[in-house]
Amino acid sequence: MEKVALATPSPVGLHRVLEPRGVLPQAAWRLDPDPRLHPDEVRVRVERLNLDAASFRQLSDKHGGDGDAVRAEVLEIVRTRGKMHNPVTGSGGMLVGTVEEVGPENRLGLAKGDRIATLVSLTLTPLVVDDGLAAWDGRGEQVPCDGHAILFGRSIAAHLPDDLPAELALAVMDVCGAPALTHRVVAKYVAQGRPPVVAVIGGAGKSGSLALAAARRAGARRTIGVVPEPAERETLTAAGLADVVALADARDAVALAEAVTAAGGRPADVTIVCVDVPGCEHGAILATADLGTVVFFSMATSFATAALGAEGLAADVTLMIGNGYAAGHADFALDVLRTSPGARAIFESRIAAHLGAIHPPR
Amino acid sequence: MEKVALATPSPVGLHRVLEPRGVLPQAAWRLDPDPRLHPDEVRVRVERLNLDAASFRQLSDKHGGDGDAVRAEVLEIVRTRGKMHNPVTGSGGMLVGTVEEVGPENRLGLAKGDRIATLVSLTLTPLVVDDGLAAWDGRGEQVPCDGHAILFGRSIAAHLPDDLPAELALAVMDVCGAPALTHRVVAKYVAQGRPPVVAVIGGAGKSGSLALAAARRAGARRTIGVVPEPAERETLTAAGLADVVALADARDAVALAEAVTAAGGRPADVTIVCVDVPGCEHGAILATADLGTVVFFSMATSFATAALGAEGLAADVTLMIGNGYAAGHADFALDVLRTSPGARAIFESRIAAHLGAIHPPR
């Protein structure tokens, strides 16, 4: 396949940006998904997209759960933007596929035929869908897909492990920033001789369950998992990932703070927000002790609400934006899953539920 | 004045929330600014509002600089919401005034007649404007105002210092979270034996100039002030607050990263974002070294853009939401101003420019 002459190639993909010019691919409205490669790029044959939970929820809510309408909108987004970048939530997801061609100057360590998952967001990954997403019913985050995607020189991709089903590995990698950063934050407190009380809001979810397991591994004094419903409380209790499981609606700031304080005996030193609904900022701040730390992993977080909320509550806490990347995050998350039967059970039951939605028994 | 029977009083003002019920005042659409006090509240006679820079800019841009239209919209926001909470930017500002009445159970250490500034955002402060903002031309952030505001049990207010003009003290207190947190972050690096290179994006502004002075005081190895225009470069160079002053548009990610790297000899260890325009997230991340820290103080920051941007750039950096509150932040910021003639010069020239806009010479 001949090489295309777009613009000067860049390791972060600037040459793929069509509009507006000069911004990075994630900030762009539209990318060029031309299958022809620059020397440092990689083309992947896509098998499956894993939509970001906040993005899928927004689309599903907008269309009242009508799967056909959700599928049509996803196709329209990819067609007009050259990437699966939800314009409302600003989020994307990730994909799994097989390496189709590797540019001669690429240094990602990939070879043709490798089965990989991308660890950079779909919001900056040039993408073309070839099959109209015909095998997807629009009712789950995991989207069977035939198409192609482009990786840049500085992208991140991970080989799918041999010992785990692809869907399971993909689901873990999608949230692998959360356990890595949680472990790092908790370990810092431990290294200072004050093992923290850690509360994970949304502890029965994917990122939440791995964050709980990572917090315990890092030496947390006490772990609290907060969930919104009795069914999730049973799930999380059975998984054994948290020292205490508490029930509260994270959007109710006062109720959340009271639940965490009751479960921990005092407010949390570290609060990890893993629920993908808006309006959890104040509760998380109110649930956190003076000089504590709040890490927001939810893409539904509002920057201004968090910043002004802490100020308004006179809360002297460190507020962190959950970075989806940390060195070694994929391997770490997979290791947490392998060594935590509780987390694995949560992932497997969530995947089974999605499959159930795709193929309802009847 | 008799006490009003609203709901059970709360130190964070839950009883003043009219809609939606149950959220904290900052998250509320509408507050009750009834002048009658609960036992732990304080009523302030307002002299002046200081609008958040992002909020004023949005309003001014929307109305093409038409001051009458800006004034009308501010009045309409306060009338419908019971607080000056810009619904587009989500930000507010602060106020200065005189204590009019103190509830018998209030513990803020205030007495009738005290001249104070509020250090919590206007986005959560019940407010009534009595004078139609007749003394304001709608063309500057500082708004002469007659009206009343309510402080809650856990609000924060600072006495205006005797040795500084009120307008100057107010402008400093408005951004006092930035120098406090910058100092804390830089001091942590210094304590670990690795004094950081610190870049302040928007170094010639209010929060930026204080952040530069605080970074130097905390022991930064090198301070870089980044500004968008030659005139600001001259101002910041004359102020002597930064070891190097660099010129770059912070919205141009690649240009910003190149400017910081050139000025510092390498990417910054700590990058402080103090510009109130959207789209600076990627540049700040790209300008920061591996394992470095980015602190976002701009209310124009997008949470998702920052989180996904770092992931997309494979940048293993700590991303912090600039908390407007830290213990002792007002006194610290005033002290930085008193001991930094350069920062004081920047503040005084900015205040003079605003006064010039209010009373143009002719």
Side-chain angles (χ1 to χ4, degrees):
Chain A
M1 188 173 279
E2 64 170 332
K3 296 291 173 291
V4 66
L6 290 161
T8 311
S10 132
V12 295
L14 297 173
H15 54 284
R16 290 280 185 173
V17 172
L18 291 180
E19 63 174 288
R21 287 275 180 185
V23 302
L24 289 165
Q26 200 255 316
W29 175 252
R30 194 158 66 93
L31 299 181
D32 180 357
D34 192 312
R36 291 171 295 177
L37 298 183
H38 277 281
D40 70 343
E41 293 182 332
V42 172
R43 191 176 61 257
V44 177
R45 176 60 31 191
V46 179
E47 290 173 26
R48 182 180 294 276
L49 307 175
N50 194 8
L51 299 185
D52 167 77
S55 173
F56 177 71
R57 172 179 292 223
Q58 185 271 329
L59 291 166
S60 188
D61 287 354
K62 173 179 172 184
H63 296 292
D66 177 346
D68 291 338
V70 171
R71 183 176 53 229
E73 182 159 356
V74 168
L75 285 168
E76 180 64 11
I77 290 171
V78 175
R79 192 184 65 75
T80 54
R81 305 197 68 174
K83 57 178 176 174
M84 180 49 214
H85 186 169
N86 183 322
V88 175
T89 61
S91 59
M94 57 186 300
L95 64 83
V96 67
T98 304
V99 174
E100 202 166 60
E101 185 184 352
V102 179
E105 295 174 15
N106 185 273
R107 300 283 172 272
L108 294 178
L110 301 176
K112 185 172 174 176
D114 284 358
R115 197 130 180 275
I116 62 156
T118 61
L119 300 186
V120 292
S121 172
L122 289 179
T123 60
L124 55 94
T125 303
L127 175 69
V128 171
V129 173
D130 294 329
D131 68 347
L133 303 178
W136 182 46
D137 68 356
R139 288 162 61 198
E141 296 161 19
Q142 301 227 4
V143 182
C145 168
D146 184 35
H148 78 260
I150 305 295
L151 304 184
F152 310 131
R154 197 171 148 180
S155 289
I156 314 167
H159 288 99
L160 286 171
D162 294 333
D163 63 330
L164 297 171
E167 267 188 342
L168 178 58
L170 186 63
V172 171
M173 288 174 181
D174 182 37
V175 296
C176 63
L181 185 51
T182 300
H183 189 276
R184 196 182 279 183
V185 169
V186 172
K188 270 191 192 160
Y189 280 79
V190 173
Q192 291 164 2
R194 36 189 194 116
V197 172
V198 180
V200 177
I201 318 302
K206 292 190 294 180
S207 56
S209 60
L210 290 179
L212 277 169
R216 182 175 281 173
R217 183 193 280 212
R221 186 151 69 88
R222 190 182 187 90
T223 57
I224 303 163
V226 182
V227 295
E229 293 166 6
E232 288 201 7
R233 180 170 57 185
E234 283 175 37
T235 302
L236 187 53
T237 303
L241 289 172
D243 296 328
V244 193
V245 178
L247 198 63
D249 182 339
R251 295 165 298 186
D252 183 335
V254 178
L256 180 64
E258 287 174 354
V260 168
T261 304
R266 59 189 182 86
D269 302 298
V270 177
T271 301
I272 310 284
V273 181
C274 292
V275 284
D276 62 353
V277 294
C280 304
E281 300 88 353
H282 288 163
I285 291 164
L286 211 54
T288 306
D290 213 38
L291 300 180
T293 301
V294 185
V295 189
F296 295 97
F297 284 107
S298 166
M299 283 301 148
T301 303
S302 157
F303 181 91
T305 303
L308 296 176
E311 183 181 333
L313 294 165
D316 190 353
V317 294
T318 298
L319 305 174
M320 291 177 65
I321 298 171
N323 183 347
Y325 177 71
H329 62 339
D331 289 342
F332 180 77
L334 290 168
D335 194 52
V336 168
L337 184 95
R338 287 190 188 98
T339 55
S340 169
R344 181 157 182 167
I346 283 178
F347 271 75
E348 287 177 340
S349 79
R350 290 198 155 235
I351 289 170
H354 280 161
L355 290 177
I358 295 170
H359 307 291
R362 51 176 157 180
Chain B
M1 188 172 279
E2 66 171 333
K3 294 294 173 290
V4 67
L6 290 162
T8 312
S10 133
V12 295
L14 296 174
H15 54 283
R16 291 278 184 174
V17 172
L18 291 179
E19 63 173 291
R21 287 274 181 185
V23 303
L24 289 164
Q26 199 256 316
W29 175 253
R30 193 158 66 94
L31 299 181
D32 180 357
D34 192 311
R36 292 172 295 178
L37 297 183
H38 277 280
D40 69 344
E41 293 182 332
V42 173
R43 191 175 61 257
V44 178
R45 176 60 29 192
V46 179
E47 291 173 25
R48 183 180 293 278
L49 307 175
N50 194 10
L51 300 184
D52 166 76
S55 174
F56 176 72
R57 173 179 290 223
Q58 186 270 328
L59 290 166
S60 187
D61 286 353
K62 172 180 171 182
H63 295 292
D66 177 346
D68 291 339
V70 171
R71 183 176 53 231
E73 181 159 358
V74 169
L75 285 168
E76 179 66 9
I77 290 170
V78 175
R79 193 185 64 74
T80 54
R81 305 197 67 173
K83 58 178 176 174
M84 181 49 212
H85 186 168
N86 183 322
V88 176
T89 61
S91 58
M94 59 185 298
L95 64 83
V96 67
T98 305
V99 174
E100 201 167 61
E101 185 184 352
V102 179
E105 295 174 16
N106 186 275
R107 299 283 172 271
L108 294 178
L110 301 176
K112 185 173 173 174
D114 285 357
R115 196 131 180 276
I116 61 155
T118 61
L119 300 186
V120 292
S121 172
L122 290 178
T123 60
L124 54 94
T125 303
L127 175 70
V128 170
V129 173
D130 293 331
D131 68 348
L133 303 179
W136 181 47
D137 67 356
R139 288 163 60 200
E141 296 160 20
Q142 301 228 3
V143 183
C145 168
D146 184 35
H148 78 260
I150 306 294
L151 305 183
F152 309 130
R154 197 171 147 178
S155 289
I156 313 166
H159 288 99
L160 286 170
D162 295 332
D163 63 331
L164 296 172
E167 267 189 341
L168 179 57
L170 186 62
V172 171
M173 289 174 179
D174 182 37
V175 296
C176 63
L181 184 51
T182 299
H183 190 274
R184 196 182 278 183
V185 169
V186 172
K188 270 192 192 161
Y189 279 79
V190 173
Q192 291 165 0
R194 36 189 192 116
V197 172
V198 180
V200 177
I201 318 302
K206 291 189 294 182
S207 56
S209 61
L210 290 179
L212 277 169
R216 182 174 280 173
R217 182 193 280 212
R221 186 152 67 90
R222 189 182 188 91
T223 58
I224 303 164
V226 183
V227 295
E229 291 166 7
E232 288 200 8
R233 179 170 58 185
E234 282 175 37
T235 302
L236 187 54
T237 302
L241 289 171
D243 297 327
V244 193
V245 179
L247 197 64
D249 182 340
R251 296 166 297 185
D252 183 336
V254 177
L256 180 64
E258 286 174 353
V260 168
T261 303
R266 59 188 181 86
D269 301 300
V270 177
T271 301
I272 311 285
V273 181
C274 292
V275 283
D276 63 351
V277 293
C280 304
E281 300 88 352
H282 287 161
I285 291 165
L286 211 54
T288 306
D290 213 39
L291 300 180
T293 302
V294 185
V295 189
F296 295 98
F297 284 106
S298 165
M299 284 301 150
T301 304
S302 157
F303 180 91
T305 303
L308 296 176
E311 183 182 333
L313 294 166
D316 190 351
V317 294
T318 298
L319 305 173
M320 292 177 65
I321 297 171
N323 183 346
Y325 177 72
H329 62 339
D331 290 341
F332 180 77
L334 289 168
D335 194 53
V336 168
L337 186 94
R338 288 189 188 100
T339 55
S340 170
R344 182 158 183 166
I346 282 178
F347 271 76
E348 288 177 340
S349 79
R350 288 198 156 236
I351 289 169
H354 281 159
L355 290 179
I358 295 170
H359 306 292
R362 52 177 155 178

